[in-house]
Structure formats: C-alpha cells, structure tokens
Amino acid sequence: MAVLELKQVSKTFGSGNTEMTAVAPLDLAIDAGEFIILTGPSGSGKTTLLTMMGGLLTPTSGQVLLNGQDLGQMTEKQRSRVRFDQYGFILQSSNLIPFLTVAEQFELVDRLSKQNHDGYADQLLTALGVADEKTSLPAKLSGGQRQRVAIARALYNHPAVIFADEPTAALDSKRAFQVVQTLKSQAKEHNVAVIMVTHDDDLLAEADRVYTVVDGKIKE
Ligand SMILES: Nc1ncnc2c1ncn2[C@@H]1O[C@H](COP(=O)(O)OP(=O)(O)O)[C@@H](O)[C@H]1O
Ligand SMILES: [Mg+2]
C-alpha cells in the first residue's frame, strides 16, 4: 500500500474573475522509502502541492491519504499530530529555531513528544557530519551545515514522509549534491519517503521518479 496517496487533488485560489487553478486535479501514489522529485518553472504549483500533501493547506477538491487515512476527515488537532509524528519538513532556509543550539532543537522535540530518543540525535548528527556543531546556534553554521542539521531534525521523529521545498536553493552545486545524497541515503536507510522540490537539473538523477509540474499539471 502507498504511504501517501492523492486522489483527484486540486487547488483553486480566488473566485470569479480572479479565480486561478494552482493545481489541476491529479492522482499520485508514493510508496514507503521512495525518493520523489518535483520540478518545473516558478509559479507552476509545486509548493501548493507540497503544502497540501503536508496537511498545511486544504485542497479545493480530492483527498490526501496518509497510510489510507484521509487528512481531510481529521480535526485540525489530529492533522497537527500527523505533522508532528509522521511528517518531516525541510525548507529552503532551514526551519531551525534561531535561539536554540543544535542540540536544543532535538531536546525540544523530546519535550514536546514526551519521549526520549536516546542518543539518536548524536547518531544522526554524526551521520550528517555536523556532530561538532551541537553547541552552535543556527546563525553560526554555514548554509550547508544548517541544511544538514535540518535533515537530521526532519528524520528525528521517525517520520513516514519528508517534504523538502527547495532545500538546496541557498547552496552551491557541490554542497547541494552532497546534501541531497545524504538526505537520500538516510531516508533509504530508515525507509522514509521523500518528496523534494528542486529547480536543479543536476539533482534529478538522484530520484526514483521525477515529476514535472507545469501550469498546475503534473507529468512523470
Ligand atoms: N495563498 C495563495 N493565494 C493566491 N494565490 C496563490 C497562493 N499561493 C500560491 N498562489 C499562486 O498559485 C500559483 C502556484 O504557486 P506555487 O505553488 O507557490 O508555485 P511554485 O512553488 O511552483 O513556484 C502561483 O501563480 C501563485 O501565485
Ligand atoms: Mg515554491
């Protein structure tokens, strides 16, 4: 069974004269551990699509199913639980909390989830080559280091799916490639599906499947 399934999902913004279709109705099924890339021109609907899959934006029509459960049938509280427990997010400028050190980013997750992922943060930070930065604040890290910490953070809650929206946009091409390879190998190791938006053609070869989004329509 697919970990994430979209059935005729669409998004329209505005109404009347100003109505525009950001995402035309589409079907998509993603299996556990798959590495998917979404590419396409700016304004084509990639972020809108990712945000709907991530349960942060309600589709105009259709269903988003996570392990067969319809996100649209859940309460906002349940959806937020799904985002916290089953999803990981990596954004363009990393989503680290600016006033917490690297180690504290992970301690916060432990506190919020009332769990102690014994030693797992160290393990991930070591695998990602940023274990020496545990006491650093995000602002002290390089762009590549910040994104690698963000990847570790996204993997930390053992998510089913990681959503990454142009995670390498701020990096040079060599760093971008390293960061994506690390994200991919960690995700494969932990059987996490990844859906990554990127403009960078050099990265497409890393994906199991590539989808191009043009004017809100998707094709493989
Ligand atoms: N909240 C919104 N309200 C109105 N229009 C939006 C909103 N979000 C995105 N759009 C429009 O939807 C289209 C797709 O945007 P987006 O998904 O951000 O594209 P991409 O990520 O591919 O650059 C764009 O024309 C954008 O202006
Ligand atoms: Mg975008």
Side-chain angles (χ1 to χ4, degrees), residues 102-128:
V102 168
E104 286 165 350
Q105 312 276 338
F106 297 85
E107 287 161 23
L108 177 66
V109 177
D110 286 345
R111 220 169 305 146
L112 292 173
S113 62
K114 301 185 181 68
Q115 282 176 35
N116 186 5
H117 301 77
D118 251 339
Y120 190 44
D122 283 346
Q123 192 187 320
L124 287 171
L125 292 170
T126 301
L128 286 147

Side-chain angles (χ1 to χ4, degrees), residues 197-213:
V197 172
T198 183
H199 283 297
D200 189 345
D201 290 343
D202 294 343
L203 301 174
L204 302 186
E206 295 303 303
D208 296 319
R209 276 187 286 156
V210 176
Y211 289 94
T212 307
V213 186

Side-chain angles (χ1 to χ4, degrees), residues 5-23:
E5 197 173 356
L6 276 64
K7 291 185 174 170
Q8 290 295 296
V9 168
S10 76
K11 187 70 191 181
T12 305
F13 290 113
S15 60
N17 280 344
T18 61
E19 185 174 300
M20 63 90 63
T21 302
V23 175

